[in-house]
Amino acid sequence: MIKIAIDAMGGDFGPEPIIEGLILAIRNNNNFTAIAVGDKEQLSLLIPPAFNHRIEILDTKDVISMHDSATDALKRKESTIYRAIELVKEGKANAVVSAGHSGATMSLATLKIGRLKGVSRPAIATLMPTSENQNTLVLDVGANVDSDAKNLFQFAIMGQAYAQSVLRLDEPMIGLLSNGEEESKGNEVTKECYKLLSSAKVPNFAGNVEGADIFKGTVDVVVCDGFVGNILLKTAEGVADTIGKIIKKNLKRSLISIAGAVLMRKVFKSLKVRVDYAEYGGAPLLGVKAPVIISHGKSNPKAIKNAIFQAIISASSNLDSIIEQRLEKYTIKEDSIKKDTI
Amino acid sequence: MIKIAIDAMGGDFGPEPIIEGLILAIRNNNNFTAIAVGDKEQLSLLIPPAFNHRIEILDTKDVISMHDSATDALKRKESTIYRAIELVKEGKANAVVSAGHSGATMSLATLKIGRLKGVSRPAIATLMPTSENQNTLVLDVGANVDSDAKNLFQFAIMGQAYAQSVLRLDEPMIGLLSNGEEESKGNEVTKECYKLLSSAKVPNFAGNVEGADIFKGTVDVVVCDGFVGNILLKTAEGVADTIGKIIKKNLKRSLISIAGAVLMRKVFKSLKVRVDYAEYGGAPLLGVKAPVIISHGKSNPKAIKNAIFQAIISASSNLDSIIEQRLEKYTIKEDSIKKDTI
């Protein structure tokens, strides 16, 4: 039986949506139990007694807020996220889900749970919607700035392993995000990473891809530095949001358009499902020794439910060993080729 | 009288849309003449004789194609873009508009026309739509990868000068694109550029901005490295395109939705105007000694017309001297502060 530790207090809206999401997950999946980490007094009011045998509460009151620094979080040993991660470290839980301070979650997970063998820096991966019925996994979207070629190389291996063993894709294709498709395109770091991926003969490396390819679904995994990934993510959200606003603003101008919009409601609803992060749950932190799912601070119960399911699938998969095996296999090759060319 | 040199052959669809755009511009503006550079036989068939006194043809047949490398272009002295840029170099034209190979245009302009005093690398700037009735100028969107902090600093000065003297904005605000608003956010290069802009006391520097701010219109000018800018641009296009595709795909599924869509046509049309690059014309290459407007290869006549108007406004402005004066003013300050801290 898999056990999921949940930071029940860290989200922007307090414990309600988190516990509601947990209960949704429990209702739909009989194969796990949970430890909700937070203020027992508040939490026990939200959990129906019928679920007491599947939800344990670990009573702790300190919560890292969005205004706290990630380094502060490392010292606050009684905070919900610290305790939740400690549960995994001590083997009392298999995975963590947190909608709290993402920097704190990342730092604590890296430090306390530890990195997988061969991983220099863990990376945050996220799913982006495409116009086809599939998604593109993009990493890193914010864990690391100033990544070097070796970091990007590891992100590629980790992303491909996740796409295969958790998203269950056959032979997922990797693309390296660049300013053009040609091998000659890129900045110094991506050009070097291109060489690493090619010479190590990492399977299904499709070469460089461009920003638009993410939404076309050209490849399954897109690799980039966390600075670039964060800007990409916020840009995509910004464009979608702006298009929505422009549509709304124009709608107000004409009664006929309003009538049209009412009729198109169904279309927009289906559109929302395609671009709604709640469908995917949260962003996995790849490269640490246990599944850590970082959810949006504004997660609704559905997003939390899906994040818990993600954690369960990750915890039941052989993701970690695949990452370690592949990093060993391909990184050795990279080194030997490097020596050859010196 | 301003004279505009136009590469009449470089676009993806040959000379027709270029000449058509030129004629549109001539019909709407009496204050310029043009030199159309290209195959005289083809071009003269497209120009109504009534306009012969305003359009000169410079006969040359070689065209740099999208498959040629930018370095090749430097050697092909009989190509349309080479000759068009030479016209500016020799003082026979005041500005260039090209819908051809953007790398070739950029390299030739930088090499032949030359950089403004104080500019290390010219940058390509582009206007992005916002949900408010204004646009955001983003630079660099592809001229330079691996920009250093000094390059970004110069982009900021050049972009602000362009916003002021060509876009006619009062006191345009500059934002530095980063992975968070706080001063502590950024990669090594942007953090250093932040310090340069602050310590030089460049007016109206608003600090870091995020990807979504571009489309909110938080600031007037957003500064980034060309690798990041290119990815941002392609991502924005990709998201807009994908949303369009998802809407269309869903529309097909229901008759009611189709009825709704017909009614909403007006809204979509107005939306298209807001996000259509043809409205803005082309992307100026900032930092060279004459206005160079790089248009999209797929430009329609309207886009060419607007690119020509952009070139005219730039050529009539004091943009170049403002850039040189400000670079001198603020870069000196930067140096002295650097010395102070050593």
Side-chain angles (χ1 to χ4, degrees):
Chain A
M1 185 74 93
I2 284 168
K3 194 164 260 183
I4 308 289
I6 297 166
D7 173 358
M9 312 291 286
D12 294 358
F13 308 125
E16 284 84 353
I18 315 284
I19 296 297
E20 207 180 311
L22 171 58
I23 290 167
L24 277 176
I26 285 203
R27 283 209 170 104
N28 287 285
N29 186 320
N30 288 319
N31 301 316
F32 81 103
T33 60
I35 307 176
V37 184
D39 183 349
K40 192 164 192 167
E41 216 171 310
Q42 285 186 60
L43 298 186
S44 51
L45 287 174
L46 298 168
I47 302 169
F51 295 115
N52 281 348
H53 66 295
R54 291 196 48 201
I55 309 175
E56 208 178 301
I57 297 174
L58 177 63
D59 189 27
T60 190
K61 283 174 182 66
D62 185 26
V63 180
I64 307 290
S65 90
M66 292 310 292
H67 307 290
D68 294 318
S69 81
T71 38
D72 269 359
L74 300 177
K75 298 171 213 151
R76 282 163 61 181
K77 300 189 177 177
E78 291 305 315
S79 71
T80 51
I81 182 59
Y82 196 106
R83 296 296 298 272
I85 280 174
E86 216 171 32
L87 286 172
V88 175
K89 191 198 169 182
E90 291 166 353
K92 292 175 187 159
N94 306 95
V96 186
V97 171
S98 166
H101 193 301
S102 59
T105 308
M106 207 175 64
S107 308
L108 279 165
T110 306
L111 229 82
K112 306 294 271 179
I113 302 176
R115 288 167 293 157
L116 291 170
K117 205 182 144 197
V119 173
S120 313
R121 293 176 174 193
I124 298 176
T126 194
L127 283 170
M128 302 286 264
T130 72
S131 52
E132 309 306 314
N133 287 324
Q134 66 184 64
N135 302 303
T136 305
L137 188 76
V138 183
L139 76 167
D140 172 40
V141 292
N144 312 280
V145 296
D146 296 309
S147 311
D148 63 20
K150 215 178 107 195
N151 298 141
L152 294 187
F153 176 87
Q154 292 174 5
F155 299 167
I157 301 285
M158 296 196 292
Q160 192 177 44
Y162 185 84
Q164 205 161 358
S165 52
V166 179
L167 305 178
R168 311 263 164 91
L169 300 179
D170 283 339
E171 311 203 331
M173 301 289 291
I174 307 168
L176 186 59
L177 191 64
S178 188
N179 59 330
E181 283 175 16
E182 304 86 351
E183 189 178 340
S184 61
K185 293 283 182 168
N187 59 20
E188 277 177 33
V189 170
T190 65
K191 280 189 210 165
E192 199 188 325
C193 179
Y194 192 110
K195 280 184 205 152
L196 292 182
L197 287 163
S198 314
S199 48
K201 297 199 171 55
V202 172
N204 300 312
F205 170 51
N208 286 334
V209 294
E210 299 189 87
D213 287 307
I214 295 167
F215 308 94
K216 285 182 194 158
T218 313
V219 294
D220 304 293
V221 179
V222 169
V223 174
C224 61
D225 165 57
F227 180 80
V228 173
N230 179 286
I231 287 170
L232 180 161
L233 203 72
K234 304 261 178 77
T235 298
E237 288 173 358
V239 173
D241 198 51
T242 299
I243 292 180
K245 272 187 194 154
I246 294 176
I247 290 179
K248 261 189 205 159
K249 202 179 249 183
N250 281 288
L251 275 183
K252 283 184 196 150
R253 296 208 182 125
S254 125
L255 264 175
I256 292 183
S257 307
I258 293 174
V262 171
L263 293 171
M264 274 191 74
R265 204 165 37 186
K266 221 180 118 187
V267 171
F268 282 117
K269 208 176 160 190
S270 138
L271 178 68
K272 203 169 169 288
V273 171
R274 300 278 312 120
V275 297
D276 190 359
Y277 71 91
E279 292 295 317
Y280 317 120
L285 179 69
L286 301 182
V288 288
K289 285 179 181 162
V292 176
I293 310 292
I294 298 175
S295 287
H296 202 293
K298 298 195 175 358
S299 287
N300 58 18
K302 189 178 175 189
I304 296 295
K305 179 195 78 179
N306 285 324
I308 292 169
F309 288 168
Q310 255 180 302
I312 295 169
I313 298 173
S314 295
S316 338
S317 75
N318 53 355
L319 176 63
D320 292 355
S321 61
I322 289 185
I323 289 178
E324 290 189 340
Q325 280 163 22
R326 293 200 181 163
L327 281 178
E328 202 187 345
K329 183 175 170 189
Y330 296 113
T331 310
I332 287 171
K333 217 161 190 170
E334 171 221 328
D335 287 348
S336 68
I337 279 170
K338 260 194 166 171
K339 270 175 212 149
D340 285 353
T341 56
I342 285 165
Chain B
M1 184 75 94
I2 284 168
K3 194 164 261 183
I4 308 289
I6 296 165
D7 173 359
M9 313 290 287
D12 293 359
F13 308 125
E16 284 84 354
I18 314 285
I19 296 297
E20 209 181 311
L22 171 56
I23 290 167
L24 277 177
I26 286 204
R27 283 207 171 106
N28 287 285
N29 186 319
N30 288 319
N31 303 316
F32 81 104
T33 59
I35 307 177
V37 184
D39 183 349
K40 191 163 193 167
E41 216 172 309
Q42 285 187 60
L43 298 186
S44 52
L45 288 173
L46 298 169
I47 302 169
F51 295 115
N52 281 348
H53 66 295
R54 296 207 30 212
I55 309 176
E56 210 178 302
I57 297 174
L58 177 64
D59 189 27
T60 191
K61 283 173 182 64
D62 185 25
V63 179
I64 307 289
S65 89
M66 292 310 293
H67 307 290
D68 295 318
S69 80
T71 38
D72 270 359
L74 299 178
K75 297 170 212 150
R76 282 163 61 181
K77 301 190 178 176
E78 292 305 315
S79 71
T80 51
I81 182 61
Y82 197 106
R83 296 296 298 274
I85 280 174
E86 217 171 31
L87 286 171
V88 175
K89 191 198 170 184
E90 292 165 353
K92 292 175 186 159
N94 307 95
V96 186
V97 171
S98 168
H101 193 301
S102 59
T105 308
M106 209 175 63
S107 309
L108 279 165
T110 307
L111 229 81
K112 306 293 272 178
I113 302 175
R115 288 167 292 157
L116 291 170
K117 205 182 144 195
V119 173
S120 313
R121 293 176 173 194
I124 298 176
T126 197
L127 283 170
M128 302 287 265
T130 73
S131 53
E132 307 307 314
N133 287 323
Q134 67 185 65
N135 302 302
T136 305
L137 188 75
V138 182
L139 78 167
D140 173 39
V141 292
N144 312 281
V145 296
D146 295 310
S147 311
D148 63 19
K150 215 179 106 193
N151 298 141
L152 294 186
F153 175 86
Q154 293 174 4
F155 300 167
I157 301 285
M158 296 195 292
Q160 192 178 45
Y162 185 84
Q164 204 160 359
S165 52
V166 179
L167 304 178
R168 311 265 164 89
L169 300 179
D170 284 339
E171 311 203 330
M173 301 288 292
I174 307 167
L176 186 60
L177 191 63
S178 188
N179 59 329
E181 283 175 18
E182 303 85 351
E183 189 177 341
S184 62
K185 293 283 182 168
N187 59 20
E188 277 177 32
V189 171
T190 64
K191 279 189 213 165
E192 201 188 323
C193 179
Y194 192 110
K195 278 184 207 152
L196 292 181
L197 287 164
S198 314
S199 47
K201 296 198 172 57
V202 172
N204 300 312
F205 170 51
N208 287 333
V209 295
E210 298 189 88
D213 288 307
I214 295 169
F215 309 95
K216 284 182 196 158
T218 314
V219 293
D220 304 293
V221 179
V222 169
V223 174
C224 61
D225 166 57
F227 180 81
V228 174
N230 179 286
I231 287 169
L232 180 161
L233 203 71
K234 304 262 177 75
T235 298
E237 288 173 359
V239 173
D241 198 51
T242 299
I243 292 180
K245 273 188 193 151
I246 294 175
I247 290 179
K248 262 189 202 159
K249 202 179 249 183
N250 281 289
L251 275 184
K252 284 185 195 149
R253 295 209 183 126
S254 123
L255 265 174
I256 291 183
S257 307
I258 293 175
V262 172
L263 294 171
M264 273 192 75
R265 204 166 38 187
K266 221 178 117 185
V267 171
F268 281 117
K269 209 176 157 190
S270 135
L271 177 67
K272 204 171 168 286
V273 171
R274 300 279 314 121
V275 297
D276 189 359
Y277 70 91
E279 292 295 317
Y280 317 120
L285 179 68
L286 301 182
V288 288
K289 285 179 182 161
V292 176
I293 309 293
I294 298 175
S295 287
H296 202 291
K298 298 196 178 354
S299 287
N300 58 17
K302 190 178 174 188
I304 296 295
K305 180 195 76 177
N306 285 325
I308 292 169
F309 288 168
Q310 254 181 302
I312 295 169
I313 299 173
S314 296
S316 338
S317 76
N318 53 354
L319 175 63
D320 292 355
S321 61
I322 290 185
I323 289 178
E324 290 188 339
Q325 282 163 22
R326 292 200 182 162
L327 281 178
E328 202 188 344
K329 182 175 170 189
Y330 296 113
T331 310
I332 287 171
K333 218 159 187 170
E334 172 218 327
D335 286 350
S336 68
I337 279 170
K338 262 194 165 171
K339 270 175 212 151
D340 285 354
T341 55
I342 285 166

